[in-house]
Amino acid sequence: SKARGGEGGSGTAVVQHFPRAKAGFTQQSLPYCQGKLPPPVEIKVKGNSSPAPWQVTVLRNDQFFTSMLVENSTEDSGEVTFTTEEAGEYKISPEGFVDNRGCLGEVMRSIKLVAIPLPGVTVSSSGTSSCKGDACVCEGARGGGFRLRFTGEPPWSVTIQTEGKNATVFDDLWDRETTLALPVGSHVLSAVSETNSLGGDHAPCQRKVSIPMVVRPKPQAVLSPLVCTHLCKDESAGMMVSLTQGTPPFTVHVQDQLGNVVRQQFTASSGELRLDTAELVSGRQADVLTGFHNWTIRQLSDAWMCKTMEDSPVVSGALPADTQHAVTATKQQAQASAALPASEAPAGKAQKQPTAAKGRAGRGRGRIG
């Protein structure tokens, strides 16, 4: 303003208004992933013909944070960026925004820096598929798979590293709890991400993890006859059991055509199942030790508690009837007793029970059918 004197002490005053600069943040909200540095924050100044440089003072949560000079980078405007390590509300101080004349500028919008918590995931076995280990399932178990529980906001994605293969990403997972089925082998869940956590073209928030996930193979075994030509006195029939898939020790249940079931545990990957010492699960011991039998595997469980339960034989060929001999005093008696069903055997012999085996177990003659 200018004052001009006149007669009698009168005068005039000229008040001159200068345009005010405007300043504000280019975004109202800026999310970033927790544990990472926020991206740079940008302030733009429109000069409106006010002289540069402009002094800009920034407050964080209404407390002084920083002060900067903004040069005129274009014809009548400028911008400046700054970085911060903390979330909060950032705004320009109305008293701290002035042009080169000292005139206050007009403050526009503020900005909120928001730290997005990283997603989380826990893994457990589901259904009846639990085997020994925190995240271990058995192949083929009912409802078997890995139960994933997420924290954060959907949708999620997980990255699975499989031994000897490229990583696999399972995405678009909207349920907070979901079940994942994987093939036999060793896997590692290496990352979980929130797909839309930051929106736009920004990379999603991701948490690096290392959670082992193991799928144990279904145990498998085969039966085979013992290699011998006859049974001697006090010897009992038996068969070889060989684990072809799975981990010993293992337990096998075998059943004959009459419904008799016996069980035996093996510490090695193969061994001799002795019908005179194996545990009788159902049926009659006398029926197990006499006559001809066709044995098949009905249940198999290994060291990892993985099980195979079948309504039909799990081996390509069970022990045929002609490979197992009755317990008899002599080979001739064994052949004679085998020729007749138990109900038609001579009365004197039908009452005679076999002697528990003390010698070599289960010798048979014949082949695998």
Side-chain angles (χ1 to χ4, degrees):
S1 63
K2 296 180 181 179
R4 192 177 295 172
E7 294 180 359
S10 64
T12 60
V14 178
V15 178
Q16 187 174 1
H17 292 278
F18 294 102
R20 299 175 65 189
K22 294 182 179 181
F25 294 92
T26 57
Q27 294 173 276
Q28 287 183 313
S29 178
L30 189 59
Y32 66 97
C33 300
Q34 196 173 57
K36 295 184 177 293
L37 290 177
V41 180
E42 185 180 53
I43 297 175
K44 279 196 172 182
V45 177
K46 184 171 179 58
N48 292 328
S49 300
S50 65
W54 300 279
Q55 182 75 36
V56 178
T57 299
V58 178
L59 307 178
R60 176 182 174 273
N61 297 335
D62 294 323
Q63 301 295 319
F64 176 82
F65 177 73
T66 187
S67 183
M68 299 164 288
L69 279 177
V70 182
E71 298 291 343
N72 191 355
S73 58
T74 63
E75 184 176 342
D76 190 33
S77 64
E79 60 273 331
V80 65
T81 59
F82 66 91
T83 57
T84 178
E85 296 181 2
E86 298 179 278
E89 184 179 16
Y90 292 80
K91 58 186 178 182
I92 299 170
S93 168
E95 296 79 18
F97 174 38
V98 296
D99 64 14
N100 200 33
R101 290 194 187 103
C103 293
L104 293 176
E106 182 180 354
V107 173
M108 308 301 286
R109 64 185 179 187
S110 59
I111 187 173
K112 285 186 177 180
L113 269 66
V114 182
I116 304 298
L118 298 183
V121 63
T122 59
V123 179
S124 61
S125 57
S126 66
T128 59
S129 60
S130 295
C131 58
K132 292 180 181 178
D134 294 335
C136 175
V137 300
C138 299
E139 177 193 14
R142 188 183 308 114
F146 296 98
R147 184 182 296 111
L148 276 57
R149 293 185 177 93
F150 297 104
T151 60
E153 297 300 325
W156 296 274
S157 67
V158 292
T159 303
I160 306 293
Q161 302 281 345
T162 301
E163 189 176 23
K165 297 182 179 179
N166 295 329
T168 303
V169 176
F170 296 85
D171 55 9
D172 205 29
L173 304 174
W174 287 88
D175 295 332
R176 193 164 294 276
E177 183 175 307
T178 189
T179 299
L180 200 63
L182 296 174
V184 171
S186 297
H187 315 272
V188 175
L189 196 160
S190 59
V192 55
S193 304
E194 280 183 356
T195 307
N196 296 332
S197 52
L198 300 183
D201 297 327
H202 297 283
C205 291
Q206 184 182 83
R207 183 189 294 274
K208 296 289 186 180
V209 295
S210 181
I211 304 175
M213 306 164 71
V214 180
V215 181
R216 303 286 181 189
K218 180 189 298 185
Q220 296 179 9
V222 294
L223 305 179
S224 58
L226 299 177
V227 180
C228 60
T229 58
H230 65 278
L231 289 173
C232 300
K233 183 179 180 180
D234 292 334
E235 288 187 332
S236 175
M239 67 201 83
M240 291 298 297
V241 183
S242 300
L243 191 68
T244 58
Q245 182 168 278
T247 305
F250 69 97
T251 301
V252 64
H253 292 64
V254 295
Q255 179 178 333
D256 66 5
Q257 75 278 12
L258 302 177
N260 299 302
V261 178
V262 296
R263 171 174 60 199
Q264 185 170 319
Q265 186 177 50
F266 298 87
T267 57
S269 58
S270 63
E272 181 182 343
L273 191 153
R274 292 177 51 117
L275 295 174
D276 57 337
T277 59
E279 178 185 356
L280 181 68
V281 177
S282 63
R284 299 195 331 153
Q285 189 73 21
D287 291 340
V288 170
L289 296 177
T290 58
F292 294 96
H293 303 264
N294 188 8
W295 294 101
T296 58
I297 295 176
R298 291 305 186 198
Q299 182 174 327
L300 185 65
S301 60
D302 70 357
W304 296 106
M305 298 174 61
C306 292
K307 296 180 179 180
T308 297
M309 298 183 66
E310 299 288 346
D311 294 328
S312 57
V314 299
V315 293
S316 58
L319 278 181
D322 63 354
T323 63
Q324 182 178 321
H325 290 269
V327 178
T328 56
T330 66
K331 178 180 177 183
Q332 290 74 19
Q333 290 175 333
Q335 293 171 338
S337 126
L340 293 174
S343 59
E344 299 178 14
K349 293 185 179 180
Q351 300 299 320
K352 185 176 181 180
Q353 296 299 320
T355 305
K358 298 180 182 178
R360 299 184 303 280
R363 297 189 175 183
R365 183 172 57 193
R367 64 191 183 282
I368 292 294

